[in-house]
Amino acid sequence: MRTSSGRLALRRPVPSDADELFRMYSDTRLIECDPMLAHNSITHTQAVLQRRIAEWQQHGHGLWVLETLEGVSSGELVGMGGCQLLTASAWNLSFSLRPQSWGRGYAQEVATAGIEYAQVTRPDFPVTAVVAKRNTRSQRAIERLGLHKQWEGPDNYDPDPGAMMLLYADRVLSPEQILTLTH
């Protein structure tokens, strides 16, 4: 399946994306605000990519690989994003863009496409986004989409003991939902 969001082609990930995704996820500018995004080896990227491909095979949807449709850079990998099932009852909105693609509105574009897909596919599931507190760029993008902060607490996945994470959602979440989504 290949579709577009206007300026971006949105497509399923394939194994041949590994090299470009490794370059993106090993770029220090990308991981500066969220070290948990770091890919320290091509093997790590290949394993993550295989999980993304398996999500598509299992569910028929998942995160898209993003390629520009514009001008001389047409076909260039911009990043990865969209909505995927986080739990059996919630969507997770995410986007990671190559630093040279920041500031062009691509995060908003792919996030909007992901939210629209989620709302059509399973409107009963909340659309959520989990973001590192120090990642203010992503926080601003998520807030512009109309998601609201539901929770703030320790980031259980970051080895930094002071790392905090934020949970955003498109609706009010119950304490049980918050617990499920943050632990």
Side-chain angles (χ1 to χ4, degrees):
M1 174 174 105
R2 185 180 181 108
T3 187
S4 76
S5 62
R7 299 176 301 148
L8 296 174
L10 311 173
R11 64 168 176 78
R12 288 181 181 216
V14 295
S16 61
D17 292 322
D19 289 337
E20 284 294 315
L21 289 172
F22 174 66
R23 280 192 277 286
M24 180 179 84
Y25 285 111
S26 62
D27 188 316
T28 57
R29 296 170 293 171
L30 177 71
I31 60 178
E32 177 176 60
C33 293
D34 190 351
M36 298 309 296
L37 292 175
H39 289 199
N40 298 319
S41 70
I42 188 70
T43 304
H44 179 162
T45 303
Q46 290 166 334
V48 171
L49 185 56
Q50 284 306 313
R51 286 195 303 273
R52 300 289 175 247
I53 291 168
E55 289 169 355
W56 275 95
Q57 292 169 341
Q58 181 180 0
H59 303 293
H61 52 77
L63 297 181
W64 295 300
V65 169
L66 318 172
E67 296 174 340
T68 184
L69 293 171
E70 301 178 310
V72 296
S73 61
S74 183
E76 180 179 295
L77 186 131
V78 171
M80 192 162 216
C83 278
Q84 67 190 105
L85 291 174
L86 184 60
T87 67
S89 60
W91 293 102
N92 182 57
L93 173 67
S94 69
F95 44 85
S96 298
L97 303 176
R98 297 176 88 169
Q100 59 266 39
S101 299
W102 293 350
R104 297 182 185 175
Y106 291 147
Q108 295 295 300
E109 194 169 319
V110 70
T112 298
I115 290 170
E116 288 172 359
Y117 179 84
Q119 290 173 338
V120 167
T121 306
R122 290 299 308 258
D124 52 320
F125 286 6
V127 174
T128 66
V130 177
V131 63
K133 185 174 182 176
R134 59 185 154 204
N135 192 344
T136 57
R137 177 185 297 277
S138 289
Q139 287 176 48
R140 287 190 305 270
I142 291 165
E143 290 168 357
R144 280 193 303 270
L145 292 161
L147 277 67
H148 302 282
K149 187 168 73 170
Q150 301 287 310
W151 179 87
E152 178 176 334
D155 188 337
N156 297 322
Y157 301 101
D158 192 322
D160 175 356
M164 300 293 282
M165 64 187 272
L166 307 173
L167 172 66
Y168 287 82
D170 66 346
R171 61 194 78 174
V172 175
L173 300 175
S174 71
E176 294 81 20
Q177 287 174 305
I178 291 171
L179 184 64
T180 299
L181 294 166
T182 58
H183 292 89

